[in-house]
Amino acid sequence: MSCESGPFSASAPSGAGVSSTPGRAVVDRTEPGQIICVENILQIYERSVMSNPLYDTLFGANQGRDTPFLFLPDGSVLSYKDFLAMAARYANTFAGLGLEPGDRVAVQVGKSPEALAVYAACAQAGLVFLPLNTAYTVSEIDYFITNSTASVFLCDGAGQDALQPMCQDAGTQLFTLNGDGSGTFADCAKTQPDSFDTVARDGGDLAALLYTSGTTGRSKGAMLTQDNLLSNARTLVECWRFSDQDVLLHALPIFHSHGLFVASNVTLMAGGAMIFLPRFDLDQVIALMPAATTMMGVPTLYTRLLGDARFTPELTRHMRLFTSGSAPLLAETHIRFESRTGHRILERYGMTETNMNTSNPYDGERRAGTVGFALEGVELKITDAVTGANLPQGRIGQIEVRGPNVFPGYWQMPEKTREELREDGFFITGDLGRIDEQGYIHIVGRNKDMIISGGFNIYPKEIELLLDDQPGVSESAVIGVPHPDFGESVLAVLVADGEQALNLGAIDQAVSDGLARFKAPKMIKVIDELPRNTMGKVQKNLLRDQFRDVFQG
Ligand code: AMP
């Protein structure tokens, strides 16, 4: 499609569906009905003088700075000034295509500075950024485009032919943006001005739409407001002490909230820089670590680093902080990491719908196997899954959170929104957890992963922790599979560490010594590798499918 095309009218109402505004960081409630504090003076001031809080705070504040923003693997450096000029050219391109504030821009492209500049351009032009996993197939993309009624879709040139017919049917303009920054979108932008009049937006306006939970039925589009993103970035900068002296080693994808919002927004807000790698490449990460001060990773990145002899105390001595999230970090990895490097990984917990909820402390004890405490301004409680009542400290229940970080709902899914977001603003995360005597939060698993066998509730994490400790076991996943007698029964899937022989008899014995009988796996399967998604999460749904019939007949 040509960039000369005139005003484009396939726009839905701006910020559609964002009428409720729990994303606005106005009040902090600890008890229902009790208003504790109004947001601080600085934030009120920021809002009153800013025309577009997200753009102005993350990007505009860095306008004109000649300092490095992105260090690239080929040795080149992109300054803030040049990055923002590119973003302005992109914003002009979108405006030239007739896009209006609130329109969705869907993006399925490789990670590159240009891809990040599309995010900045959307913020500046008041558009809703909709990043998509590069692994999604044409039929999955079809759903996202149709569901979001995106006005523009940017994809890699290699996928253009397959995706064009679907875009045509949906009335979505398709442009290409390749990993090297070339493509029809970049061509259109070349001749555009380097500056753009930032479109006025409000903190409650929609900034991004992120589809989530593809493993449990149809994906839902989590709507994230400007305030959701800004409040969380502000909290994390403070909590993790980010500054303009920081250089973040960025090897995460930017279609997910971890790499996009946690890593990039925090760096932008602090005015720091990133070593921006297209993907996690062990050699590259090791070669470039000496130039970094911080790294954010998912657990698998840390286990891969630990598997390499070049990952030494010397390599990491200068580092200020390693954080981990998106999937559980095994306590064993935490401990091995510390004994190898002297650094204690700071584990935090969040999700697409809420950004970050909890973090281990920067200064205090970073406790292995826990996700720390609720972040400043975030309320977290453990409730009974059936009654919704608060549970006493120490009991396992569903984790609910409320705060300025929590999204206002799912895109055009009011019923799903009502099921998961309570009227009082608490979001039912779907995770199970408990709070220990010192207040540290432990994630016990996903609600849907809980096994009910013969009427007993069984939490897989407890069994996995014991299995992981057995000689010869590298890791484990415990799942519930259909059983004619018990409804569901416990199946343990093990991966051998290849160093010591696996003794299944000894493992059975350790399980019966350590756990009540009803929790003991009725069967153990050994496989080469646990199935994981790109963020390192074990895909238990695939294991459940694979082993669904083991107790039948
Ligand atoms: P996503 O929406 O893709 O970011 O996935 C969010 C889910 O990842 C959460 O609901 C948790 O189940 C899981 N998760 C994120 N961080 C952690 C963590 N530190 N420990 C355990 N699970 C986590």
Side-chain angles (χ1 to χ4, degrees):
M1 184 161 302
S2 151
C3 33
E4 302 305 325
S5 47
F8 186 72
S9 57
S11 61
S14 302
V18 202
S19 50
S20 66
T21 53
R24 299 210 185 160
V26 177
V27 289
D28 170 21
R29 291 163 288 190
T30 47
E31 293 290 331
Q34 186 188 4
I35 295 179
I36 303 297
C37 69
V38 174
E39 62 186 349
N40 70 42
I41 301 290
L42 179 64
Q43 282 167 254
I44 293 173
Y45 171 76
E46 279 175 2
R47 181 160 298 137
S48 67
V49 296
M50 283 182 176
S51 65
N52 179 327
L54 185 71
Y55 182 81
D56 295 345
T57 309
L58 298 186
F59 303 102
N62 293 305
Q63 198 75 54
R65 286 181 61 202
D66 241 336
T67 50
F69 172 44
L70 301 179
F71 294 99
L72 302 169
D74 65 1
S76 62
V77 181
L78 192 63
S79 68
Y80 267 106
K81 194 169 148 204
D82 291 344
F83 175 80
L84 293 174
M86 171 159 61
R89 288 195 295 277
Y90 290 179
N92 279 305
T93 310
F94 287 133
L97 293 170
L99 269 65
E100 301 195 346
D103 285 352
R104 274 76 57 215
V105 174
V107 181
Q108 188 195 31
V109 300
K111 181 178 170 187
S112 67
E114 288 77 9
L116 194 62
V118 173
Y119 166 50
C122 286
Q124 191 167 25
L127 303 168
V128 177
F129 185 61
L130 195 173
L132 292 163
N133 192 321
T134 43
Y136 285 144
T137 60
V138 175
S139 72
E140 286 167 312
I141 296 293
D142 190 0
Y143 168 73
F144 299 125
I145 298 285
T146 314
N147 184 260
S148 66
T149 57
S151 303
V152 164
F153 175 48
L154 303 183
C155 70
D156 191 281
Q160 181 177 15
D161 288 348
L163 291 157
Q164 181 69 66
M166 172 269 293
C167 284
Q168 207 141 356
D169 290 349
T172 301
Q173 301 185 70
L174 180 145
F175 292 92
T176 61
L177 186 63
N178 303 316
D180 63 1
S182 64
T184 56
F185 182 71
D187 290 343
C188 291
K190 262 185 202 139
T191 51
Q192 294 294 327
D194 280 353
S195 66
F196 178 81
D197 282 341
T198 303
V199 170
R201 296 303 270 167
D202 186 80
D205 282 328
L206 207 50
L209 194 55
L210 263 65
Y211 281 84
T212 177
S213 276
T215 54
T216 54
R218 281 259 109 140
S219 283
K220 300 161 281 185
M223 300 190 289
L224 293 156
T225 66
Q226 291 212 345
D227 277 348
N228 290 151
L229 304 183
L230 278 179
S231 66
N232 212 236
R234 194 173 279 121
T235 302
L236 295 178
V237 166
E238 212 163 288
C239 178
W240 298 341
R241 314 275 166 83
F242 268 80
S243 78
D244 59 3
Q245 298 304 300
D246 272 310
V247 179
L248 176 81
L249 190 45
H250 192 305
L252 295 165
I254 55 167
F255 52 71
H256 184 268
S257 68
H258 193 167
L260 181 62
F261 299 139
V262 186
S264 306
N265 284 359
V266 163
T267 303
L268 284 157
M269 185 170 272
M274 297 193 273
I275 299 171
F276 207 61
L277 305 180
R279 65 195 64 80
F280 181 84
D281 175 295
L282 195 54
D283 293 338
Q284 243 171 16
V285 166
I286 287 175
L288 294 169
M289 193 163 287
T293 64
T294 54
M295 176 173 169
M296 295 186 187
V298 296
T300 26
L301 305 197
Y302 293 124
T303 45
R304 283 167 67 187
L305 280 169
L306 284 170
D308 195 298
R310 294 169 297 173
F311 191 61
T312 58
E314 291 70 44
L315 189 78
T316 61
R317 183 156 294 136
H318 66 290
M319 290 289 276
R320 183 178 75 74
L321 180 66
F322 292 92
T323 69
S324 175
S326 292
L329 180 75
L330 292 182
E332 190 222 328
T333 310
H334 194 284
I335 292 158
R336 276 176 61 214
F337 197 92
E338 184 178 12
S339 62
R340 174 85 71 89
T341 66
H343 290 281
R344 284 180 85 89
I345 297 177
L346 182 153
E347 186 172 6
R348 93 297 177 283
Y349 155 66
M351 57 202 316
T352 305
E353 291 91 334
T354 64
N355 297 286
M356 296 307 99
N357 296 313
T358 77
S359 170
N360 268 279
Y362 188 84
D363 285 326
E365 189 196 343
R366 298 175 194 169
R367 195 169 286 188
T370 83
V371 294
F373 309 104
L375 287 165
E376 186 76 33
V378 177
E379 296 166 76
L380 184 146
K381 60 183 186 178
I382 308 289
T383 62
D384 183 287
V386 178
T387 63
N390 281 1
L391 289 175
Q393 179 265 313
R395 289 271 304 278
I396 293 174
Q398 57 186 8
I399 299 176
E400 298 192 27
V401 292
R402 177 167 73 178
N405 55 316
V406 174
F407 79 142
Y410 294 111
W411 174 260
Q412 290 176 345
M413 286 191 179
E415 266 173 37
K416 273 273 159 223
T417 302
R418 265 194 300 278
E419 275 168 29
E420 296 181 23
L421 193 58
R422 296 188 192 277
E423 268 179 20
D424 64 4
F426 271 99
F427 175 62
I428 305 165
T429 61
D431 290 313
L432 296 170
R434 71 178 170 86
I435 303 179
D436 69 20
E437 313 76 57
Q438 279 83 38
Y440 284 84
I441 296 152
H442 299 239
I443 311 271
V444 178
R446 296 285 297 164
N447 210 344
K448 64 177 189 307
D449 291 335
M450 191 180 75
I451 303 163
I452 307 180
S453 186
F456 289 108
N457 288 0
I458 300 168
Y459 302 103
K461 182 72 181 267
E462 187 187 10
I463 307 165
E464 288 161 3
L465 286 174
L466 191 142
L467 292 171
D468 292 345
D469 269 350
Q470 302 311 308
V473 175
S474 160
E475 55 179 350
S476 62
V478 168
I479 53 172
V481 287
H483 189 282
D485 249 1
F486 301 109
E488 263 189 317
S489 194
V490 182
L491 175 84
V493 183
L494 301 183
V495 175
D497 65 11
E499 288 161 17
Q500 299 178 61
L502 264 186
N503 181 340
L504 296 186
I507 292 175
D508 264 343
Q509 189 57 49
V511 168
S512 29
D513 291 346
L515 295 172
R517 240 177 99 162
F518 71 90
K519 299 179 189 171
K522 297 271 177 301
M523 189 182 285
I524 295 179
K525 293 275 182 191
V526 182
I527 62 174
D528 290 342
E529 206 180 345
L530 296 179
R532 287 196 145 83
N533 71 9
T534 32
M535 299 310 290
K537 287 189 222 302
V538 176
Q539 294 175 295
K540 287 194 171 177
N541 56 319
L542 298 185
L543 292 175
R544 279 192 287 262
D545 285 348
Q546 184 179 349
F547 295 114
R548 104 167 9 262
D549 296 327
V550 290
F551 293 117
Q552 305 300 325

